[in-house]
Amino acid sequence: MICRRTYKAHPFGVFYGANPLDYSFTLVLLEIVCVILLSRLVRFLLKPLKQPRIVSDMIGGIIIGPSVLGRNKKFAAYMFPENSLYVLENVGLIGFMYFLFVCGVKMDPSLIKKAGKKHMFIALIGVTVPTLIVAAVALMLRSQMDKDLALFSSIGAVSSSMGIIAFPSLYPTLQELNLLSSEIGQMALSICLIGDAIGINAIVAFEAAKQGEGEAVDALWYLISLVVLVTFIVAGARRVFLWIIRRTPEGKPVDQGYVVAILLGVCVMAFLTDMLGIAILNGPMWLGLVIPDGPPLGATLVEKSETIIMDLLLPFSFAFLGLFTDVSVMFAAGWSSLAPLFIMAVIGFLSRLLGTLAPCVFFDLPLRDSFALSFILSIRGHVELVLYLHWMDKLMIKQPQFTMMVLLMIMVTGIATPMVRILYDPTKPYMITKRRNIQHTPQDTELGVVLCIHNRESVAGFINLLEASNPSSSRPCSIFALHLIELVGRATPLFFDHERRKVPAKYAAYDTIFKALTLYQRSRSDFVKLHSFTAVSPKLSMYQDICKLALENKAALIILPFHKERWEELGGIELVRAGAVRSVNFSVLDHSPCSVAILVDKGGFRKPFPTRASNHSLHFAVIFLGGADAREALAYADRMAENKNVSLTAVRFLSHRPEKYNEMEKKLDDGLVTWFYVRNEKNNRVSYREVVVTNGNETMAAIKAMDAVDSFDLWIIGRKQGIAPVLLEGIGDWSENQELGVIGDFLASADFGSSASVLVVQQQIMRGS
């Protein structure tokens, strides 16, 4: 029993002798700061160990609890006095409640229908084998268990939880591992959804059995209330959500009033489930499940609420769990009371591992991928923690057993996650041994080009670049246009091939992109083929969709937009795209299976391309510093030189000290330059010259002199510095945009003062290079 005042005035201040920790509001504020800062600190310290966020947050909660800081009686008395614990517990439950709601919004139950036999079989074996083995072991150890745990309903609940594959536990870790768009990640999500469907039914059955331990009629009322609640959610609430979507204009976010009403509805569902005797967190998750994922409703709900849930409310949930986790109590309980549940948990983990591995090997999945998938499906998380709390509420286990299960969960997840990183590399397939670049593509074969489009603004520049590349009957071109949309409001990435599958209306807001490309393709239908795709994926894994598309279609070049656009004709106004664009560009440069080009469009390149009948022509310049990237840039420029509306100036920079060259690279450079010169010797629109410099400053001065004499529309440059570092000596440290290289960044900068766009080219990086 705790005696305290029902109301206490706020303190006048420490200078009047008042202790702010004696007042509930100021104490709660300090608890918020302490919990969030400690959670962030632990996450930062464990980052080098590649631990997932769930492990860091749980360890942070345990540090706050009686196992570490809470062992100090003064700390516990001041920071978490008895009369303030209820605030922490309630905020923690609200955090779990909204987290499961958001996970429900992101889930797509329709994937269960689309899953293949392989996924169904792996999920079925992965759930049933651990459940049955743990149940058998539990029955053998029943005589050694506490009486509450020895009940058949308790054994069934524990066994089914060992077999369940929980989506809310798996999804956040897959997202951190950047595996959502990978083959193994998508397989794991499909298996997880099937396993969830099986596991939820098992848990409901054992919950009913638990209710019926008093009187059989209690189990009946439990099932009746469950059916009524689910019917209300599916038949009533879902219709309301669909009505909200119909009232929302296409391409617009859902009205703020509807968002607030739905978030309040989460509290209503939690109240109803608790009132009806159903676990309190079931209602919010089921409500999230019936909300259509993706834009407009699902995306808006996630965007509006995810940050405050994940970074403000959820740390309280782990602090709340940490207060129940007491290592000293666990050791005091002794091995005899912990052994049965410990053995069940360890056998459950091992049987889950083997139960997933065996069917994977049966379906001829590579052994490393099979182990990786097994470890992924062994990851524990938020749902398991909620279940352990639920077991305590139902008196199935006590605090020592709860502490042991939490520590085991941290250990299993802490081991499984690094093992997945070691066993599976999603970028490995993209680094191939076959040459796929412009330089080594035969003259009379089709050139495959992947266009990566984030928004409408980059389309005009891409079309002009394609036209400048001079597709013709002797040099046809296949364009693979990929529209990239960031995944928000759903968990599973989507990939649409427009020729095989219609894009849903909620992702078709940018039809103008493909209409513009289609018009261009029709005007060049004899030698340009267009294939349109849309990828909806997290920004961290967008590069996987790009590289996979290039790999499957044997493309020789990927063209990316720069994350900035400068409009010189509008007074130098600069448009900065979302931060995702730059990170995607870096990832593609690192993992691409072919050559990559980044287009820095300054506005002039978006003007209509000159027609063959017009007298106007575009003037391009190639800066050749040597090396593989410079050779690729020159090979691409050679294609452009055949265009009647393009004039080309190629300038090769040479060092005054030839002994500083890489001899092998020098021979390759000489061979390509000689080939280019001989091919274009009689072409009046092509000029070639060489400049000898002693350092980087002279290189910059020569480029500025070129710009002063000629008005160029496009600079073409290789990304890497080339074969003679002296060419860039003294200027390499100030580069801001590493994806463009030193010279490319200089040409693209406002300080250079040129209105010409810039194309930075990187030749395919071969495996082992």
Side-chain angles (χ1 to χ4, degrees), residues 625-668:
L625 298 177
D629 293 353
R631 294 193 293 271
E632 188 74 358
L634 188 62
Y636 194 15
D638 177 71
R639 284 182 170 261
M640 298 178 180
E642 295 185 358
N643 193 309
K644 302 297 183 183
N645 295 100
V646 171
S647 58
L648 182 68
T649 298
V651 180
R652 184 182 187 185
F653 285 82
L654 298 169
S655 169
H656 73 296
R657 292 180 290 176
E659 68 276 5
K660 296 295 183 180
Y661 285 127
N662 180 312
E663 288 301 324
M664 179 58 70
E665 291 291 321
K666 176 70 163 54
K667 290 179 181 179
L668 294 173

Side-chain angles (χ1 to χ4, degrees), residues 201-409:
N201 290 326
I203 288 176
V204 167
F206 288 114
E207 280 290 320
K210 194 71 180 173
Q211 295 278 352
E213 285 175 355
E215 295 183 16
V217 70
D218 293 336
L220 178 63
W221 280 116
Y222 173 83
L223 291 174
I224 291 173
S225 61
L226 186 68
V227 171
V228 170
L229 185 66
V230 171
T231 303
F232 167 73
I233 293 173
V234 174
R238 183 169 175 81
R239 290 187 178 182
V240 174
F241 299 144
L242 293 174
W243 175 79
I244 291 172
I245 291 172
R246 287 195 297 269
R247 285 184 59 87
T248 303
E250 188 174 332
K252 300 292 184 181
V254 174
D255 186 80
Q256 184 79 5
Y258 296 135
V259 174
V260 173
I262 292 170
L263 293 177
L264 285 176
V266 176
C267 297
V268 173
M269 289 306 304
F271 173 80
L272 290 175
T273 49
D274 197 39
M275 182 182 72
L276 297 172
I278 306 167
I280 191 171
L281 299 178
N282 282 332
M285 184 171 179
W286 294 341
L287 184 69
L289 275 172
V290 298
I291 294 176
D293 55 29
L297 185 56
T300 304
L301 285 169
V302 172
E303 285 178 336
K304 299 281 187 183
S305 61
E306 191 168 34
T307 299
I308 195 168
I309 292 169
M310 298 298 294
D311 293 320
L312 187 62
L313 294 179
L314 212 53
F316 273 90
S317 304
F318 292 106
F320 160 53
L321 288 168
L323 294 178
F324 283 103
T325 307
D326 193 341
V327 177
S328 60
V329 172
M330 183 185 74
F331 283 118
W335 173 249
S336 58
S337 64
L338 301 175
L341 190 59
F342 177 82
I343 294 170
M344 290 167 66
V346 171
I347 289 179
F349 169 68
L350 294 175
S351 58
R352 160 64 61 76
L353 202 64
L354 296 175
T356 307
L357 184 64
C360 288
V361 174
F362 175 79
F363 283 108
D364 296 325
L365 211 65
L367 192 59
R368 287 177 68 92
D369 291 358
S370 300
F371 271 109
L373 183 61
S374 300
F375 278 111
I376 287 173
L377 296 178
S378 300
I379 290 171
R380 311 277 85 183
H382 304 78
V383 171
E384 286 72 25
L385 292 171
V386 171
L387 283 173
Y388 302 156
L389 280 175
H390 187 58
W391 294 351
M392 280 221 299
D393 288 341
K394 297 293 183 181
L395 304 178
M396 292 162 54
I397 61 173
K398 298 180 177 63
Q399 191 176 12
Q401 288 85 358
F402 174 82
T403 301
M404 182 191 70
M405 293 302 294
V406 169
L407 295 178
L408 280 174
M409 189 217 81

Side-chain angles (χ1 to χ4, degrees), residues 126-269:
V127 171
T128 55
V129 167
T131 301
L132 294 175
I133 291 177
V134 172
V137 171
L139 292 174
M140 288 188 287
L141 299 173
R142 194 178 177 206
S143 59
Q144 303 174 33
M145 297 179 184
D146 295 337
K147 62 177 183 178
D148 292 314
L149 186 58
L151 296 171
F152 284 110
S153 59
S154 299
I155 290 174
V158 173
S159 302
S160 60
S161 69
M162 296 297 177
I164 193 174
I165 306 170
F167 176 89
S169 298
L170 186 64
Y171 168 72
T173 305
L174 278 178
Q175 190 175 30
E176 287 184 63
L177 291 170
N178 198 17
L179 294 180
L180 289 177
S181 295
S182 66
E183 183 180 354
I184 290 295
Q186 293 191 359
M187 183 182 292
L189 284 178
S190 296
I191 293 169
C192 179
L193 287 170
I194 300 166
D196 257 350
I198 300 170
I200 287 173
N201 290 326
I203 288 176
V204 167
F206 288 114
E207 280 290 320
K210 194 71 180 173
Q211 295 278 352
E213 285 175 355
E215 295 183 16
V217 70
D218 293 336
L220 178 63
W221 280 116
Y222 173 83
L223 291 174
I224 291 173
S225 61
L226 186 68
V227 171
V228 170
L229 185 66
V230 171
T231 303
F232 167 73
I233 293 173
V234 174
R238 183 169 175 81
R239 290 187 178 182
V240 174
F241 299 144
L242 293 174
W243 175 79
I244 291 172
I245 291 172
R246 287 195 297 269
R247 285 184 59 87
T248 303
E250 188 174 332
K252 300 292 184 181
V254 174
D255 186 80
Q256 184 79 5
Y258 296 135
V259 174
V260 173
I262 292 170
L263 293 177
L264 285 176
V266 176
C267 297
V268 173
M269 289 306 304

Side-chain angles (χ1 to χ4, degrees), residues 409-708:
M409 189 217 81
I410 293 174
M411 188 182 301
V412 168
T413 304
I415 293 171
T417 307
M419 287 302 297
V420 174
R421 293 182 186 271
I422 293 169
L423 290 167
Y424 186 72
D425 180 9
T427 67
K428 187 178 179 180
Y430 310 136
M431 301 298 287
I432 58 176
T433 55
K434 294 182 179 179
R435 292 191 181 276
R436 292 183 181 172
N437 54 50
I438 298 174
Q439 182 186 348
H440 295 93
T441 299
Q443 298 290 322
D444 55 349
T445 58
E446 189 174 72
L447 179 70
V449 179
V450 174
L451 294 182
C452 301
I453 303 167
H454 293 272
N455 51 35
R456 300 182 183 94
E457 286 75 14
S458 57
V459 176
F462 281 167
I463 290 175
N464 280 342
L465 183 62
L466 291 170
E467 182 63 14
S469 304
N470 195 42
S472 61
S473 56
S474 60
R475 286 187 169 189
C477 184
S478 279
I479 303 169
F480 304 95
L482 178 62
H483 181 208
L484 296 158
I485 302 174
E486 185 174 355
L487 181 72
V488 180
R490 63 173 288 126
T492 313
L494 297 170
F495 192 87
F496 301 102
D497 182 344
H498 294 199
E499 296 174 5
R500 300 180 181 179
R501 184 180 174 189
K502 186 178 179 181
V503 181
K506 58 186 176 182
Y507 295 118
Y510 296 97
D511 280 346
T512 52
I513 291 174
F514 297 111
K515 287 179 180 177
L517 290 168
T518 302
L519 287 173
Y520 169 69
Q521 186 269 333
R522 287 175 181 171
S523 67
R524 300 286 184 267
S525 58
D526 293 338
F527 33 83
V528 173
K529 297 178 184 176
L530 175 65
H531 309 275
S532 301
F533 304 88
T534 297
V536 185
S537 57
K539 61 182 180 182
L540 289 178
S541 59
M542 279 181 181
Y543 77 94
Q544 295 179 14
D545 294 312
I546 298 168
C547 294
K548 186 177 179 181
L549 182 65
L551 181 69
E552 291 177 347
N553 293 283
K554 300 180 180 179
L557 181 67
I558 295 172
I559 302 178
L560 304 167
F562 189 52
H563 70 281
K564 295 179 183 177
E565 285 184 359
R566 189 173 180 84
W567 297 68
E568 296 292 350
E569 66 271 25
L570 296 178
I573 294 175
E574 196 170 65
L575 168 68
V576 180
R577 294 190 177 95
V581 177
R582 192 178 191 194
S583 63
V584 169
N585 289 355
F586 271 114
S587 297
V588 173
L589 288 168
D590 289 339
H591 304 295
S592 171
C594 61
S595 295
V596 181
I598 298 178
L599 178 63
V600 184
D601 197 341
K602 292 190 177 181
F605 209 59
R606 281 186 288 271
K607 296 175 182 177
F609 196 86
T611 62
R612 297 181 184 273
S614 66
N615 295 322
H616 175 63
S617 65
L618 298 177
H619 195 180
F620 297 170
V622 183
I623 306 297
F624 189 93
L625 298 177
D629 293 353
R631 294 193 293 271
E632 188 74 358
L634 188 62
Y636 194 15
D638 177 71
R639 284 182 170 261
M640 298 178 180
E642 295 185 358
N643 193 309
K644 302 297 183 183
N645 295 100
V646 171
S647 58
L648 182 68
T649 298
V651 180
R652 184 182 187 185
F653 285 82
L654 298 169
S655 169
H656 73 296
R657 292 180 290 176
E659 68 276 5
K660 296 295 183 180
Y661 285 127
N662 180 312
E663 288 301 324
M664 179 58 70
E665 291 291 321
K666 176 70 163 54
K667 290 179 181 179
L668 294 173
D669 288 350
D670 290 343
L672 185 70
V673 169
T674 302
W675 169 84
F676 173 81
Y677 181 80
V678 171
R679 266 181 57 83
N680 296 283
E681 188 176 10
K682 296 181 180 180
N683 189 342
N684 296 327
R685 292 176 288 101
V686 177
S687 62
Y688 170 80
R689 57 179 180 264
E690 295 179 349
V691 178
V692 179
V693 296
T694 60
N695 54 44
N697 290 325
E698 288 190 9
T699 303
M700 293 293 196
I703 293 174
K704 286 183 178 179
M706 288 174 58
D707 184 61

